[in-house]
């Protein structure tokens, strides 16, 4: 009897102990070091970041950083519950920018890292919306993307990297004449069309920044008679994109998906590939010896118009309701130490957004460095369009040959409709 | 009709004792957990959702009432209108196709044929595979195998994948959905046909009815109740089409195969909470209207 009782007691004590450990994990740890909840979910870089966190925890004894890799949706939920993480390092897009727009983040403008960030990124961040008077997101890693090309095929056919639209068509014609597929299309995956074909074509042809500023000003007025509109400004680049997609891709592009495309390109089945730097590591898996280069897609007859597509791959944010702000700011300073931010970006082929950062030393991204350094970049319309517009699907339809005029008119109508039902947000986007 | 009547008469007969006797509390106990769970998980969130459809909420932060603005915008939004059109068209075509094929298969599988049990087992296999897996397998078949076969055999029609064709992609979705849902429907039909007493057929054959007449005049009328079940259940499932479309076309090419469920969920994922809540409310109202219509049409036709 008594033995059974002790057993039950022991079980109860065990349960209590577990609960205490759980409490310690969520609250302050018993060793005196305060826990800092850090959110990070870029899958390719988790191992690297785990090491960084471990180094930080070993370097001091005041704070202990715990990394959570569960992604954006749980973060949104934690904001709703009033229990957000202490510091976030996340891909910047319309989802994450909601936290900025709704002013639920700390002002970081007075921090030391903020003073070192290059000025030309703030307008890019602001395109997603702002919180007046605050700088709440600091860029940590910038990804540049442009056309990936097979250097060996270019050399074998005596081809130079094209810098104008007509040179590009010449390159395509030469390749076709030699029975080589110029571009490998993976139109079965809508997002691949969006981030590559659609973004490079439009970004290479127009001033994306001022276009979207004007679109936001026009709001519900967007239509056939407005100053700027999709149907007016996008038509020419989109028709060029459709020409490339229909005449200069392999015949089954419509039913090929991203994974298939990576393997095919790695095996030399096409000379060019419109994918971001994330595809490079995938191509490397199939064919580590492939010689790869990158160049911005020329859409005009003036080489001065060449630009690369960038995205704010990681930005740092600290929620207003963070429970351990001191720890968060301390870890922020640590992350932005020149050697750490440099090492991180080096490992991911990303670009350092600080004044003193140097570009990654890799021949595969070499072709983009001059444009990045000169500030010749744009953010893709594919990610700037409000998410309520199914831009990926539209881009896919365009690549498959849908009538561009009709579809761009639909996009204008979509834009005006969003401005009609969410006036607050679209005017914030104009700031 | 007769069921309703029998309940009424039964209730009338037992009126005096029941009104005096207290209802066993155990019955309430049985219902209680389900009612609580249903209220908490379905009714309350549903009402909150309808409430938010009149605001400009994006899921977090502050929001304001904007009246019927979301609804007005939704009615002029081609993305939403075409998704309604696509979903209802798809559900209608699929429900007819599935029921015709399943009924004919059931007739075959209940006849005196060899390997009946083995064949039944084979026909039921698609039912146990998850929809998303079926969709990915068929996506591969449509994208790679069929075009390869088409070019090897010189059939130009097959050479391009049908799910890459905006005008035909829906056919691919109908085929895959039908492939997956025929077994369930088939089982119900088999049960229905087996429940018809054999002497009815005997009497019919003595009266000189041939097999075709037996099928049309006896089997079909006697399984009518099962047809109603299958049509209602099937239609309900197809209106919620989601997983197979995700795996097969992901709403593409373009926006040609976006179902209502997909449109609503995309809205939640993209911070368009209140707006798609309005779509969901519209969808809710339309399905209620359909349910009422279905009930009033089928009431009296069957005893189910």
């Amino acid at each position: 009897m008594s033995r059974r009782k002790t057993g039950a007691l022991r079980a109860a004590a065990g349960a209590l102990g577990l609960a205490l450990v759980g409490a310690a994990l969520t609250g302050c740890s018993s060793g005196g070091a305060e826990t800092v909840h850090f959110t990070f979910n870029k899958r390719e870089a988790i191992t690297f970041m785990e090491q960084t966190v471990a180094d930080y925890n070993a370097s001091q004894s005041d704070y202990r950083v715990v990394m959570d890799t569960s992604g954006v949706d749980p973060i949104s939920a934690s904001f709703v519950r009033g229990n957000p993480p202490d510091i976030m390092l996340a891909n910047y897009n319309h989802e994450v920018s909601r936290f900025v727009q709704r002013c639920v983040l700390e002002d970081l403008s007075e921090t030391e890292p903020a003073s070192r960030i290059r000025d030309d990124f703030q307008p890019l961040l602001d395109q997603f919306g702002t919180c007046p008077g605050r700088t709440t997101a600091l860029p940590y890693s910038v990804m540049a993307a442009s056309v990936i090309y097979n250097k060996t095929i270019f050399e074998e056919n005596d081809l130079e990297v094209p810098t104008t639209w007509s040179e590009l068509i010449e390159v395509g014609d030469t390749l076709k004449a030699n029975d080589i597929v110029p571009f490998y299309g993976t139109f079965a995956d809508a997002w691949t069309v969006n981030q590559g074909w659609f973004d490079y074509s439009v970004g290479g042809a127009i001033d994306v920044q001022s276009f979207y500023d004007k679109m936001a000003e026009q709001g519900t007025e967007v239509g056939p008679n407005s100053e700027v509109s999709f149907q007016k400004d996008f038509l020419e680049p989109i028709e060029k994109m459709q020409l490339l997609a229909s005449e200069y891709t392999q015949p089954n592009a419509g039913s090929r998906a991203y994974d298939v495309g990576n393997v095919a390109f790695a095996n030399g089945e096409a000379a060019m590939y419109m994918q971001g730097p994330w595809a490079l590591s995938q191509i490397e898996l199939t064919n580590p010896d492939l010689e790869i280069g990158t160049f911005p897609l020329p859409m005009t007859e003036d080489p001065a118009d060449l630009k690369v597509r960038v995205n704010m791959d990681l930005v740092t944010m600290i929620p207003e309701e963070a429970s351990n702000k001191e720890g968060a700011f301390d870890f922020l300073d640590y992350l932005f130490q020149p050697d750490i931010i440099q090492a991180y970006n080096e490992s991911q082929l990303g670009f350092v957004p600080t004044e003193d950062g140097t570009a990654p030393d890799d021949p595969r991204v070499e072709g983009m460095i001059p444009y990045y350094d000169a500030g010749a970049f744009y953010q893709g319309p594919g990610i700037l369009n409000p998410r309520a517009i199914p831009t990926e699907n539209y881009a896919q339809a365009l690549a498959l040959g849908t009538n561009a005029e009709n579809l761009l008119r639909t996009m204008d109508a979509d834009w005006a409709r969003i401005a009609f039902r969410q006036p607050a947000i679209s005017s914030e986007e104009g700031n | 009709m007769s069921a309703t009547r029998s309940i009424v008469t039964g209730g009338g007969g037992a009126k005096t004792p029941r009104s005096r006797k207290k209802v066993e509390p155990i019955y309430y106990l049985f219902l209680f957990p389900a009612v609580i769970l249903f209220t908490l998980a379905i009714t309350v969130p549903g009402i909150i959702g309808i409430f938010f459809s009149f605001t400009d909420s994006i899921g977090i932060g502050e929001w304001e009432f904007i009246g019927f603005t979301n609804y007005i915008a939704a009615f002029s939004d081609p993305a939403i209108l075409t998704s309604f059109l696509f979903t209802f068209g798809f559900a209608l075509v699929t429900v007819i196709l599935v029921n015709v094929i399943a009924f004919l298969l059931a007739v075959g599988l209940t006849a005196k044929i060899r390997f009946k049990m083995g064949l039944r087992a084979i026909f039921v296999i698609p039912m146990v595979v998850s929809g998303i897996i079926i969709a990915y397998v068929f996506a591969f078949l449509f994208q790679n195998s069929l075009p390869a076969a088409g070019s090897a055999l010189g059939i130009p029609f097959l050479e391009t994948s049908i799910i890459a064709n905006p005008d035909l992609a829906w056919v691919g979705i109908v085929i895959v959905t039908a492939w997956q849902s025929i077994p369930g429907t088939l089982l119900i039909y088999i049960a229905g046909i087996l429940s018809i007493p054999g002497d009815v057929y005997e009497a019919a054959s003595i009266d000189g009815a041939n097999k075709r007449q037996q099928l049309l005049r006896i089997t079909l009328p006697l399984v009518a109740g099962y047809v109603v079940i299958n049509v209602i259940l099937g239609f309900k499932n197809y209106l919620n089409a989601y997983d197979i479309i995700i795996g097969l076309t992901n709403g593409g090419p373009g926006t040609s195969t976006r179902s209502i469920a997909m449109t609503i969920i995309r809205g939640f994922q993209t911070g368009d909470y209140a707006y798609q809540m309005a779509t969901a409310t519209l969808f809710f109202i339309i399905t209620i209207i359909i349910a009422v219509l279905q009930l009033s049409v089928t009431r009296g036709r069957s005893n189910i």
Side-chain angles (χ1 to χ4, degrees), chain A residues 303-315:
Chain A
D305 288 339
L306 290 174
K307 281 172 284 192
V308 291
R309 173 191 189 271
V310 292
N311 70 306
M312 298 294 122
D313 200 52
L314 290 180
V315 297

Side-chain angles (χ1 to χ4, degrees), chain A residues 312-353:
Chain A
M312 298 294 122
D313 200 52
L314 290 180
V315 297
T316 330
M317 291 163 287
I318 296 180
E320 248 182 353
E321 292 191 0
S323 51
N324 187 355
K325 266 183 224 166
E326 293 78 25
F329 277 107
D330 195 68
F331 187 55
L332 175 82
D333 285 339
Y334 181 81
L335 283 175
F336 274 89
Q337 283 180 17
D339 51 328
I340 288 169
I341 188 171
Q342 189 74 46
Y344 170 81
N345 280 293
E346 201 76 55
S347 76
Q348 302 299 316
L349 296 180
F351 288 81
V352 183

Side-chain angles (χ1 to χ4, degrees), chain A residues 13 19 28 48 50 73 75 83 121 126 142 158 165 169 194 210-211 243 265 270 281 305 358 360 393-394 422 427:
Chain A
C28 301
F48 188 95
E50 271 171 349
D73 290 341
I75 301 179
N83 178 28
F121 291 115
D126 290 350
V142 178
D158 291 324
W165 169 254
I169 293 298
N194 187 43
S210 70
F211 173 80
L243 175 71
F265 184 77
S281 56
D305 288 339
T358 52
N393 298 71
Y394 287 168
Q422 285 191 325
S427 72

Side-chain angles (χ1 to χ4, degrees), chain A residues 76 79-80 95 98-99 102 104 188 254-257 387-388 390 393-394 396-397 400 410 414 417 420-422 424-425, chain B residues 56 58-62 66 69-70 72-73 76-78 143-144 161 164 250-255 258 269-272 275:
Chain A
S76 303
F79 270 96
V80 176
E95 273 153 332
R98 284 182 290 164
F99 306 132
R102 301 277 154 149
V104 294
S255 57
R256 286 295 171 267
R387 296 283 307 268
N393 298 71
Y394 287 168
Q396 182 189 39
L400 293 172
T410 310
D414 285 350
R417 194 174 309 106
F420 165 70
R421 64 186 167 83
Q422 285 191 325
I425 290 179
Chain B
D56 65 352
I58 55 170
I60 58 155
E62 288 163 13
I66 53 168
T69 309
N70 283 330
I72 296 167
S76 68
D77 192 337
Q143 285 171 351
N144 300 304
S161 155
N250 206 2
T255 50
R258 282 194 2 153
Q269 290 167 338
T270 56
D272 219 357
Y275 185 51

Side-chain angles (χ1 to χ4, degrees), chain A residues 198-260:
Chain A
F198 185 75
D199 279 0
Y200 296 173
S201 306
V202 176
I206 69 164
D207 182 351
V208 178
Q209 175 90 40
S210 70
F211 173 80
Y212 277 94
D213 286 350
K214 284 194 190 129
M215 285 292 274
E217 273 168 36
Q218 290 168 181
T220 52
E221 307 291 313
V222 169
N225 300 319
S226 58
E227 191 196 338
V228 296
S229 62
F230 292 119
Q231 52 191 314
K232 232 183 271 171
D233 300 65
F234 278 29
L235 187 61
E236 198 203 323
I238 290 299
E239 282 178 342
K240 283 180 176 171
M241 174 191 106
Q242 289 185 310
L243 175 71
L244 293 181
S246 62
E247 301 297 322
Y248 296 92
T249 52
Q250 84 281 14
N252 53 14
S255 57
R256 286 295 171 267
Y258 172 61
D259 301 332
V260 183

